[in-house]
Amino acid sequence: MARTLCWFSCGAASAVAAKLILNEIPDAVIVYCDTGAEHEDNRRFMSDCEKWFGKEIKTIRSKQFSSTWEVWEKRRYLASPFGAPCTSEMKVAPRLDFQLPSDTHVFGYTADSSDVRRANRMLETYPDMKQRHPLIEKGITKSACLAMLETAEIAPPVTYAMGFPNANCIPCVKATSPAYWALVRKEAPEEFSKMKELSRRLNVRLAQLRGERIFIDEIPEDHPVTSPIAPACDFLCHMAEMEMEGKE
């Protein structure tokens, strides 16, 4: 039987996307790829979402690696213009092992322009994969997702309040913004210190400042950090909330 798989990342967007799909397809399967490198509060958020969804979230893992750090150490590289090894090993590989050709895949890309571009790349990269992007379908942005969680009385992962744009691994080696790395230094100093040592050892300049690649420990101590996203619900957001509550 064909399944609908909602890929849950412990982020606000994937949570709202899953909730919308469950309203339409109650037997959809919610699946989470454990990378072993996310903030501990993500577990609390996942538990809150299971209550909101009314069903368990299935966790899958890499068969070869226990965390992103193990991938970086064993593969001996961090990132490239073509992506990062942690993504392929900790998210793509487990997904490929779990999925079936008949599955429909639901992703939490939002209607923000940067996410629309990412969704289009997914469609181009996997043309044979049946995909749905319900947040783009309904015009829902990331700030709207945060507002919808607020309405549902679910606190988003603490990483959002820290200033991170999502609830992904800390750190994310695909990030090149010095503001992002300055935030990691401020909020996750132990992880920053580990990455500082590892990136120096592998000779990888992860950050880009004024058009030049630099090591993350070369970012000025007073460099500004990224700011939290403010929840904001517009008309489309309210329409989606009414749909989830069965008030169409």
Side-chain angles (χ1 to χ4, degrees):
M1 182 180 297
R3 304 176 299 178
T4 296
L5 306 181
C6 297
W7 292 99
F8 179 80
S9 67
C10 271
S14 66
V16 173
K19 182 66 174 176
L20 286 168
I21 289 295
L22 285 171
N23 185 67
E24 177 186 337
I25 308 170
D27 62 351
V29 181
I30 317 300
V31 192
Y32 165 71
C33 293
D34 185 2
T35 65
E38 296 175 5
H39 193 284
E40 59 185 13
D41 186 58
N42 282 12
R43 294 293 178 186
R44 185 274 312 162
F45 180 68
M46 186 186 299
S47 176
D48 288 348
C49 284
E50 287 181 322
K51 295 170 187 173
W52 192 34
F53 298 155
K55 67 171 14 184
E56 184 179 349
I57 297 169
K58 180 173 181 59
T59 298
I60 61 177
R61 299 177 177 84
S62 166
K63 296 176 181 177
Q64 187 175 358
F65 301 98
S66 62
S67 72
T68 56
W69 292 98
E70 186 178 1
V71 174
W72 299 326
E73 287 282 3
K74 290 186 176 179
R75 293 284 299 276
R76 305 296 295 170
Y77 85 90
L78 301 179
S80 76
F82 306 103
C86 45
T87 299
S88 59
E89 296 291 356
M90 303 303 293
K91 290 195 172 183
V92 177
R95 172 173 63 76
L96 293 175
D97 284 342
F98 182 77
Q99 72 184 38
L100 300 172
S102 57
D103 292 336
T104 295
H105 301 260
V106 177
F107 297 103
Y109 294 117
T110 68
D112 299 281
S113 59
S114 60
D115 259 21
V116 171
R117 289 193 294 272
R118 292 174 63 203
N120 287 335
R121 284 198 297 271
M122 277 291 291
L123 291 167
E124 293 169 3
T125 304
Y126 300 101
D128 297 327
M129 178 191 291
K130 300 170 190 170
Q131 299 183 44
R132 286 194 61 186
H133 307 113
L135 302 179
I136 295 176
E137 293 171 14
K138 298 179 182 296
I140 298 174
T141 62
K142 185 169 288 190
S143 59
C145 289
L146 290 168
M148 293 167 79
L149 287 180
E150 198 172 74
T151 299
E153 299 184 342
I154 296 176
V158 70
T159 51
Y160 287 96
M162 291 176 178
F164 291 99
N166 48 50
N168 290 349
C169 307
I170 300 177
C172 175
V173 292
K174 290 181 286 189
T176 60
S177 165
Y180 168 83
W181 286 106
L183 183 63
V184 174
R185 180 169 57 196
K186 174 187 174 185
E187 298 291 349
E190 184 175 333
E191 284 74 14
F192 183 87
S193 180
K194 285 174 63 177
M195 183 53 66
K196 175 181 70 174
E197 187 279 327
L198 181 59
S199 62
R200 283 282 186 177
R201 177 155 42 94
L202 299 181
N203 194 32
V204 180
R205 293 169 170 80
L206 289 168
Q208 185 168 318
L209 183 63
R210 292 187 286 274
E212 292 187 14
R213 283 281 189 170
I214 62 172
F215 290 108
I216 59 173
D217 57 336
E218 294 178 315
I219 298 170
E221 290 292 333
D222 60 351
H223 197 285
V225 301
T226 53
S227 301
I229 299 172
C233 200
D234 59 12
F235 176 73
L236 293 173
C237 167
H238 285 301
M239 291 290 290
E241 286 179 330
M242 292 177 66
E243 180 181 329
M244 289 192 296
E245 294 171 8
K247 298 178 180 179
E248 293 180 282

